[in-house]
Amino acid sequence: ANRDALEDGRQYDLEYRIIRKDGAVRTVRSRASVEHDPTGTPVRMFGVFQDITEPKQAKEELRALSGRYEAILAEVHDIIAEVDANKVYTWVNQAGLDFFGPDVVGKEAAFYFVDEQDTYATVRPLFDGNPRLFYVESWQRRCDGEKRLLAWWCRALVDAKGKITGALSTARDITDHTRAQEALQEREEIYSAIINQAVDSIVLADAESGRFVEFNQAAHENLGYCREEFAQLTISDIHVAIGSEKIHEHMMATSARGAAVFETRQRRQDGELRDVRVSVRSLNIRGKSYFAAIWSDITDRKRAEQAMVRTDTLFRAFMDNLPGYAYIKDVDHCHVFVNRRFEERLGFSFQDILGKSNKELFPLETAQHM
């Protein structure tokens, strides 16, 4: 470089390494030019010699750091994008290129919007200087034409003078998650509608305290409570003890064996006692124990059964005290009832006579004679 400068007067600007007296290797930058006399003969060389070791290392470290950041951003699955003050994309990471396509840089963000939306209105304060992080959901068109819902987190970019230069945003495709949530919510609404239409009471109670944590509409209405009142009650507040055993203890003991079914009584808000058939099962949800129970009100059925027993008792007492023989046969001529005098007359017990015809009870000639 020195020779070339001396021969044709060219200036040079070089970077190279030197070894100092102490053995340290330094990077230097040398700039030089040649002065010529009127005849064109080189007279002297002027040069500047600068040690650029630290700036050179800092530049290389910055380049390496930038390379690492670029590699990291390329592996991030979320979209990271930068827009200028006019909302035009100036940079996107690989995830953004994959979503919007390789020609996204230079296009305005609204180019990818699906239908009319108020996204710009939502983030307007950001471009007006609001420093907070903004969240917005926006339906946008993917490069394959499919409509996808993106969740954006946006923050303003500000230069050294405090001027808004654009925004840096991170986006995540939440289409599948949102659709799954909507489907789950729809199923929950369907299940809730079905459960709340049930005539029987359906409850979920904390196994330790016995407090109701979930229940259908019939559960509180059947007992005369409003929803808020019922939520403050426990199993023991409404159930009558089974013998000497408390209802809570009984449910814990029986449900420990799996599903259990038993009958007990419940006390309504107005004090009336109602007979119920309880079907209970023990559940473990995320390490916590619960009772899932269905109560069927059997008060009317039990009263009907008791009334029927009383009627049967009175009927038999009346028939047994008749002075004559009394019997009832079905359409097949089989006995379904006989009074005591009829039993004594035939010499058979009621159970022997029940369901049998005369031909089965007596020899043919006896039946003909009768």
Side-chain angles (χ1 to χ4, degrees):
N2 285 331
R3 184 176 61 251
D4 292 341
L6 291 171
E7 289 178 354
D8 55 20
R10 285 184 294 172
Q11 294 181 339
Y12 70 81
D13 189 340
L14 297 175
E15 288 185 10
Y16 51 91
R17 291 183 296 169
I18 63 171
I19 302 176
R20 292 198 324 183
K21 181 180 179 180
D22 60 6
V25 177
R26 308 292 291 179
T27 301
V28 297
R29 184 176 186 181
S30 178
R31 298 186 183 89
S33 60
V34 178
E35 180 184 354
H36 298 79
D37 62 15
T39 65
T41 302
V43 177
R44 63 179 63 86
M45 179 178 287
F46 299 95
V48 177
F49 183 84
Q50 183 182 9
D51 187 334
I52 61 170
T53 305
E54 281 75 17
K56 184 76 172 179
Q57 288 176 344
K59 187 175 181 179
E60 290 175 352
E61 289 174 359
L62 179 60
R63 184 182 298 110
L65 184 62
S66 297
R68 287 199 295 272
Y69 285 159
E70 287 289 341
I72 292 171
L73 293 175
E75 294 302 319
V76 173
H77 296 297
D78 290 342
I79 298 169
I80 303 175
E82 180 183 349
V83 298
D84 61 19
N86 296 317
K87 305 176 185 64
V88 174
Y89 286 113
T90 56
W91 176 87
V92 296
N93 68 340
Q94 188 59 49
L97 294 173
D98 293 341
F99 185 91
F100 294 111
D103 58 347
V104 59
V105 174
K107 286 189 170 66
E108 187 181 347
F111 176 81
Y112 299 96
F113 290 178
V114 175
D115 302 326
E116 294 291 330
Q117 50 185 280
D118 58 358
T119 304
Y120 277 2
T122 303
V123 299
R124 182 179 296 117
L126 181 148
F127 289 91
D128 291 339
N130 193 315
R132 72 179 180 87
L133 184 69
F134 281 80
Y135 175 80
V136 62
E137 294 181 3
S138 171
W139 283 98
Q140 304 206 0
R141 189 178 300 101
R142 201 165 58 185
C143 58
D144 60 3
E146 184 176 348
K147 182 177 72 171
R148 306 293 292 181
L149 182 62
L150 298 184
W152 290 90
W153 292 264
C154 314
R155 191 180 294 278
L157 292 174
V158 184
D159 62 16
K161 297 180 180 179
K163 182 182 178 182
I164 302 295
T165 60
L168 184 66
S169 304
T170 302
R172 180 172 299 171
D173 189 331
I174 59 172
T175 312
D176 297 335
H177 176 70
T178 301
R179 288 172 178 169
Q181 280 189 320
E182 290 174 349
L184 178 60
Q185 183 177 354
E186 182 180 3
R187 285 198 297 271
E188 288 179 348
E189 290 175 356
I190 292 173
Y191 294 153
S192 178
I194 293 173
I195 290 174
N196 281 316
Q197 289 299 316
V199 176
D200 289 341
S201 303
I202 302 173
V203 300
L204 183 70
D206 180 276
E208 183 177 355
S209 65
R211 187 172 298 280
F212 301 115
V213 294
E214 293 290 344
F215 45 88
N216 68 344
Q217 190 169 343
H220 63 87
E221 288 185 349
N222 289 344
L223 292 172
Y225 291 96
C226 69
R227 188 171 188 85
E228 291 73 18
E229 292 172 331
F230 193 78
Q232 302 303 315
L233 301 176
T234 67
I235 293 171
S236 300
D237 290 331
I238 62 173
H239 281 278
V240 177
I242 300 178
S244 61
E245 190 175 28
K246 294 182 178 179
I247 183 65
H248 192 176
E249 297 172 352
H250 182 77
M251 291 182 73
M252 291 188 71
T254 56
S255 63
R257 299 190 295 270
V261 179
F262 58 90
E263 292 183 7
T264 183
R265 308 189 84 186
Q266 290 180 341
R267 183 178 290 105
R268 285 173 46 89
Q269 186 187 38
D270 59 10
E272 180 187 359
L273 293 178
R274 305 288 293 181
D275 294 295
V276 291
R277 182 177 184 271
V278 180
S279 175
V280 63
R281 181 182 293 273
S282 179
L283 299 178
N284 187 289
I285 303 175
R286 296 185 178 182
K288 191 171 179 62
S289 296
Y290 296 92
F291 292 135
I294 299 177
W295 307 327
S296 300
D297 191 316
I298 58 173
T299 307
D300 295 337
R301 191 199 74 189
K302 289 186 75 71
R303 289 174 179 173
E305 290 175 351
Q306 292 168 359
M308 187 176 296
V309 169
R310 287 195 298 271
T311 301
D312 287 345
T313 302
L314 291 173
F315 175 76
R316 172 160 288 279
F318 173 76
M319 298 298 285
D320 285 344
N321 284 287
L322 288 175
Y325 310 115
Y327 62 88
I328 301 174
K329 294 182 180 180
D330 61 20
V331 294
D332 295 321
H333 302 287
C334 295
H335 294 87
V336 295
F337 175 81
V338 295
N339 68 350
R340 192 181 305 279
R341 289 181 63 83
F342 198 93
E343 292 180 59
E344 294 170 352
R345 170 69 179 81
L346 299 180
F348 293 106
S349 68
F350 178 78
Q351 295 300 325
D352 292 334
I353 301 172
L354 190 64
K356 293 185 175 63
S357 65
N358 285 347
K359 290 184 178 181
E360 294 175 286
L361 291 172
F362 310 106
L364 180 59
E365 61 276 15
T366 306
Q368 287 177 342
H369 177 71
M370 291 179 66

